[in-house]
């Protein structure tokens, strides 16, 4: 039991260190305890879905994962789909929907660059909620190379622990 407790403590300290580093890189006011990451997936122009993964204290919270069937756009348009998914998530938060966590995320990550960040910000604005949001900008191998707030890019390539967390968050 003592070994398990020590292991749990070391893991929690490691996760906290990564989250503090992430907060510093992104210039957040506080360490993000709850992170929600979104990605849009489609099969042609039909069956458009947004996936949401959740991290609590730096660990995947699989029971909190959700999908959103995109209904407001009839063709594969990532920006409109992201805007709809984020707006709907924020409305669930406002309405304290029991099928979702009532805890607001401290940080939103979206798969994509400035356009996706802009769409997410618009979705939040439509719902009357404001949260930090950053895009996960991919390289040629579809791995996140930087994070962006829509105006500036933050390189995470040399931040191995942050890079690992973001890599896992990629939906």
């Amino acid at each position: 039991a003592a070994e398990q407790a020590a292991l749990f403590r070391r893991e929690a300290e490691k996760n906290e260190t990564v989250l503090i580093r992430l907060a510093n890189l992104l210039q957040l006011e506080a360490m993000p305890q709850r992170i929600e990451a979104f990605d849009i997936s489609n099969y042609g122009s039909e069956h458009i879905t947004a996936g949401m993964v959740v991290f609590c204290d730096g660990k995947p919270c699989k029971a909190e994962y959700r999908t959103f069937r995109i209904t407001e756009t009839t063709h594969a348009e990532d920006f409109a789909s992201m805007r709809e998914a984020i707006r709907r998530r924020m409305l669930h938060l406002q309405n304290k929907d029991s099928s979702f966590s009532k805890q607001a995320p401290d940080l939103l990550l979206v798969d994509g660059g400035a356009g996706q960040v802009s769409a997410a910000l618009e979705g939040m604005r439509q719902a009357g909620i404001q949260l930090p949001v950053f895009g996960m900008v991919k390289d040629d191998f579809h791995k996140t190379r930087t994070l962006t707030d829509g105006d500036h890019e933050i390189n995470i390539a040399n931040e191995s622990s942050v890079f690992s967390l973001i890599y896992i968050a990629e939906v």
Side-chain angles (χ1 to χ4, degrees):
E3 286 180 32
Q4 282 299 102
L7 179 64
F8 181 79
R9 233 182 349 270
R10 282 193 304 273
E11 184 72 21
E13 288 170 359
K14 177 183 159 195
N15 290 342
E16 185 174 311
T17 301
V18 172
L19 293 173
I20 289 170
R21 184 64 191 138
L22 178 63
N24 288 335
L25 283 170
L26 302 181
Q27 299 179 352
L28 302 175
E29 293 179 17
M31 179 182 77
Q33 293 180 315
R34 181 179 175 91
I35 301 170
E36 294 180 2
F38 292 81
D39 189 14
I40 304 299
S41 175
N42 59 62
Y43 182 69
S45 61
E46 301 174 359
H47 310 290
I48 305 168
T49 304
M52 177 182 90
V53 299
V54 179
F55 284 76
C56 299
D57 297 320
K59 296 183 294 191
C61 235
K62 292 185 179 185
E64 302 277 336
Y65 288 16
R66 297 290 183 271
T67 58
F68 298 83
R69 185 169 169 255
I70 302 302
T71 60
E72 295 174 7
T73 183
T74 57
H75 57 284
E77 209 236 274
D78 275 2
F79 299 146
S81 299
M82 183 64 73
R83 183 174 46 251
E84 178 184 341
I86 297 294
R87 180 180 45 76
R88 287 173 52 195
R89 167 59 182 123
M90 295 301 115
L91 290 173
H92 283 291
L93 185 63
Q94 271 185 340
N95 297 333
K96 299 181 179 12
D97 186 329
S98 63
S99 66
F100 282 82
S101 171
K102 293 171 183 59
Q103 181 184 355
D106 302 302
L107 173 63
L108 287 181
L109 297 174
V110 295
D111 188 37
Q116 294 289 16
V117 170
S118 179
L121 289 169
E122 176 62 19
M124 285 190 293
R125 188 196 63 72
Q126 290 173 353
I129 293 180
Q130 185 175 355
L131 298 167
V133 60
F134 288 84
M136 298 180 286
V137 181
K138 302 295 195 303
D139 63 16
D140 293 337
F141 303 102
H142 203 68
K143 301 292 183 229
T144 300
R145 64 175 174 83
T146 62
L147 298 177
T148 183
D149 62 1
D151 294 322
H152 307 94
E153 289 194 0
I154 299 119
N155 189 345
I156 60 170
N158 296 328
E159 301 287 339
S160 61
S161 59
V162 171
F163 180 84
S164 294
L165 175 68
I166 299 301
Y167 181 76
I168 294 169
E170 291 176 0
V171 183

